[in-house]
Amino acid sequence: MAAAMPLAVLVLLLLGLGGWGLAEPPRDSLREELVITPLPSGDVAATFQFRTRWDSELQREGVSHYRLFPKALGQLISKYSLRELHLSFTQGFWRTRYWGPPFLQAPSGAELWVWFQDTVADVDKSWKELSNVLSGIFCASLNFIDSTNTVTPTASFKPLGLANDTDHYFLRYAVLPREVVCTENLTPWKKLLPCSSKAGLSVLLKADRLFHTSYHSQAVHIRPVCRNARCTSVSWELRQTLSVVFDAFITGQGKKDWSLFRMFSRTLTEPCPLASESRVYVDITNYSQDNETLEVSPPPTTTYQDVILGTRKTYAVYDLLDTAMVNNSRNLNLQFKWKKPPENGYIHYQPAQDRLQPHLLEMLIQLPANSVTKVSIQFEQALLKWTEYTPDPNHGFYVSPSVLSALVPSVVAAKPVDWEESPLFNTVFPVSDGSGYFVRLYTEPLLVSLPTPDFSMPYNVICLTCTVVAVCYGSFYNLLTRTFHIEEPSTGGLAKRLANLIRRVRGVPPL
């Protein structure tokens, strides 16, 4: 009996080891990437993409355990029989004319469009319930979606994933253009990530930096995709995207150079431990109009070339899973500098700050003879505070004159100037040689007419208010403080005595 016990324990251990050896590999995976694109306007675009893929058919299998795929979204797919879901929150507008085409554009406000399975009996009811649930998940006003702002397109918004049919009866689309995107929408969006904002690329998602941009858009896309090349089985893909556009001149204090720390106030320290791929792509395609070259530091280990949106692009690739990439310095702070050829002009622009400093624009250019150069600047008019207007606001406001400094070629060669022997008017500007002379010219001040408020209105309001207050207050004050006394008539006075004296002289009885 005693000898049987070790044998039983050994059998149990062997069974346990066999069970561990037959454990199935994870059925879900995570890929994260950041694409940094210098835009033609000088701004910088950053696009985050987090893709979670789950090899499971949620609507057929009874799923109770979730590892990487968010449970809240997985339950939505099963409960409401979703085929695809696309939700975006956008602040600002993508200016294609100046920034080029985006990877995936979204309208301002909140956009939601959903494809339901053909097994859904009442699509409108499921659509209403789904919008209410999403409103609670993302802390948004999606509960205001109803029949008044819901449409069923028939030409646009085709399925982006697998689709056996395109019966548009099961498609619903709605937009809330007045939806304001704020931190309350970003926080639940980050919580859907497997590593939240603790590790990986998501550590750069700092709210105060993301919302201090020219454009901000965050989205959630759910669709079915093929699991293998033959598409014999289906997997579910959750793609979370976030795109921002930084104003390089403002954040960089007038310079186009930038870095990860300058944009996000943070650097990359480690990849997400649950991610199978974590990379940063930097667009180093030379498409600048000023023949500028982009220098990236540290230098990339590899590059990637492909045709993106009809244009051949070259990207510098930084793999965070490469231990040599991060462990050398324990952080990765990509720095980017624009380098111009020496023969071209150096434009220096310092943007203004409201009520702190004015604009400064300096250009070093070489003008050919008999040519006309026009410099135009786009600006927007803004209202001033009423205390900032001058005593004569209708006259307008003056803009400082421009300064033109030029080295004009001399027609006649001049000899070197002796500063002590030459007249004073000939030694104002130093001249290195006799081939040219220096000239500084000033333009006239520019008088700009700004919208002027009616300053008589405050005076009228003050007078009317004071009059009403004086009348009302005076009446109430008199009623509350005045006392009334009943006076008895007096027995007589000087007039009465004179009357009685006259009556006595006339022989009439007194009063």
Side-chain angles (χ1 to χ4, degrees):
M1 185 67 180
M5 293 181 61
L7 181 61
V9 174
L10 180 61
V11 173
L12 290 176
L13 289 175
L14 291 176
L15 291 176
L17 291 175
W20 293 337
L22 298 177
E24 296 183 358
R27 302 174 60 185
D28 51 3
S29 61
L30 171 66
R31 293 175 56 187
E32 59 176 9
E33 70 177 28
L34 167 61
V35 181
I36 300 177
T37 306
L39 302 177
S41 62
D43 302 325
V44 181
T47 303
F48 295 84
Q49 291 206 41
F50 304 88
R51 196 204 72 166
T52 304
R53 176 178 168 178
W54 196 5
D55 298 338
S56 174
E57 297 185 9
L58 297 176
Q59 298 170 349
R60 296 182 181 179
E61 303 176 5
V63 179
S64 59
H65 176 69
Y66 291 81
R67 195 176 82 99
L68 299 181
F69 203 93
K71 184 177 181 180
L73 299 182
Q75 291 177 344
L76 286 182
I77 298 175
S78 302
K79 181 177 180 180
Y80 295 103
S81 300
L82 301 182
R83 182 193 303 176
E84 289 190 15
L85 184 146
H86 305 274
L87 173 63
S88 66
F89 299 95
T90 305
Q91 188 74 26
F93 180 75
W94 184 274
R95 304 186 182 278
T96 307
R97 180 179 179 182
Y98 304 101
W99 298 341
F103 292 110
L104 185 62
Q105 191 173 3
S108 300
E111 180 193 41
L112 175 64
W113 58 286
V114 178
W115 277 92
F116 293 92
Q117 296 286 347
D118 54 6
T119 58
V120 178
D122 192 347
V123 178
D124 293 331
K125 180 180 179 182
S126 300
W127 167 256
K128 181 60 178 178
E129 294 178 359
L130 176 63
S131 60
N132 290 333
V133 175
L134 293 175
S135 177
I137 293 177
F138 294 98
C139 298
S141 303
L142 301 178
N143 55 307
F144 287 99
I145 294 179
D146 52 18
S147 60
T148 61
N149 48 28
T150 300
V151 296
T152 304
T154 58
S156 301
F157 302 99
K158 299 293 183 180
L160 299 182
L162 298 178
N164 297 327
D165 56 1
T166 56
D167 188 358
H168 291 81
Y169 171 76
F170 300 97
L171 170 64
R172 293 296 183 270
Y173 175 85
V175 177
L176 299 177
R178 295 190 60 182
E179 182 71 13
V180 179
V181 186
C182 60
T183 309
E184 296 179 354
N185 308 121
L186 179 63
T187 301
W189 185 90
K190 292 192 296 184
K191 290 183 178 179
L192 298 177
L193 299 174
C195 288
S196 184
S197 58
K198 306 300 182 182
L201 300 178
S202 58
V203 299
L204 302 178
L205 303 179
K206 196 175 179 181
D208 60 339
R209 302 297 300 174
L210 296 179
F211 290 102
H212 190 65
T213 55
S214 303
Y215 176 83
H216 173 94
S217 179
Q218 62 187 55
V220 173
H221 304 279
I222 302 177
R223 61 179 179 178
V225 295
C226 293
R227 190 176 305 180
N228 47 40
R230 297 183 179 180
C231 202
T232 57
S233 56
V234 178
S235 300
W236 283 96
E237 180 191 76
L238 167 63
R239 191 181 294 255
Q240 296 180 244
T241 64
L242 188 145
S243 301
V244 290
V245 175
F246 292 91
D247 191 334
F249 288 103
I250 295 180
T251 58
Q253 299 179 354
K255 298 180 180 179
K256 296 173 63 175
D257 303 338
W258 43 275
S259 64
L260 285 183
F261 185 80
R262 179 176 294 177
M263 291 190 297
F264 301 101
S265 298
R266 291 179 180 176
T267 58
L268 296 174
T269 57
E270 60 179 349
C272 175
L274 300 176
S276 60
E277 180 179 308
S278 181
R279 295 179 179 178
V280 179
Y281 296 86
V282 180
D283 187 358
I284 57 176
T285 307
N286 187 14
Y287 57 85
S288 176
Q289 298 179 356
D290 299 329
N291 296 325
E292 297 174 322
T293 57
L294 180 63
E295 294 183 351
V296 186
S297 176
T301 56
T302 59
T303 59
Y304 173 77
Q305 293 184 355
D306 202 350
V307 178
I308 308 297
L309 299 176
T311 305
R312 180 167 295 276
K313 298 284 188 177
T314 303
Y315 295 91
V317 183
Y318 297 86
D319 191 356
L320 298 184
L321 296 181
D322 185 4
T323 56
M325 179 64 65
V326 180
N327 291 343
N328 291 338
S329 58
R330 293 302 303 167
N331 64 58
L332 179 62
N333 181 26
L334 299 180
Q335 298 181 358
F336 314 89
K337 295 183 178 180
W338 287 99
K339 186 177 181 181
K340 293 183 178 181
E343 63 272 5
N344 290 351
Y346 297 88
I347 297 178
H348 175 230
Y349 173 66
Q350 180 178 350
Q353 297 181 9
D354 290 342
R355 300 170 180 87
L356 291 180
Q357 67 180 17
H359 287 276
L360 174 62
L361 176 62
E362 292 181 315
M363 295 183 295
L364 181 61
I365 56 179
Q366 183 175 0
L367 301 179
N370 300 324
S371 63
V372 177
T373 301
K374 181 184 295 185
V375 179
S376 60
I377 301 177
Q378 295 182 356
F379 64 94
E380 296 180 357
Q381 293 185 352
L383 291 175
L384 302 177
K385 295 182 179 179
W386 70 276
T387 56
E388 296 176 343
Y389 284 91
T390 58
D392 53 345
N394 293 319
H395 180 73
F397 294 82
Y398 285 97
V399 178
S400 302
S402 301
V403 182
L404 177 62
S405 302
L407 186 61
V408 183
S410 178
V411 179
V412 180
K415 62 181 180 179
V417 177
D418 187 354
W419 283 63
E420 297 298 333
E421 300 297 333
S422 300
L424 295 179
F425 62 81
N426 195 27
T427 58
V428 177
F429 296 108
V431 179
S432 58
D433 54 12
S435 61
Y437 58 94
F438 181 81
V439 175
R440 179 178 292 133
L441 304 177
Y442 295 87
T443 63
E444 291 185 80
L446 181 62
L447 183 62
V448 180
S449 298
L450 295 180
T452 304
D454 186 3
F455 290 99
S456 63
M457 289 303 298
Y459 174 77
N460 298 335
V461 172
I462 292 174
C463 293
L464 179 60
T465 304
C466 294
T467 302
V468 173
V469 171
V471 173
C472 296
Y473 178 77
S475 301
F476 280 106
Y477 182 79
N478 290 335
L479 292 176
L480 295 176
T481 59
R482 179 181 297 178
T483 57
F484 298 91
H485 300 279
I486 300 176
E487 296 182 357
E488 296 293 338
S490 59
T491 57
L494 179 60
K496 186 176 182 180
R497 291 197 296 267
L498 291 176
N500 290 334
L501 180 61
I502 296 173
R503 292 173 68 87
R504 188 180 299 116
V505 173
R506 296 176 56 188
V508 180
L511 297 176

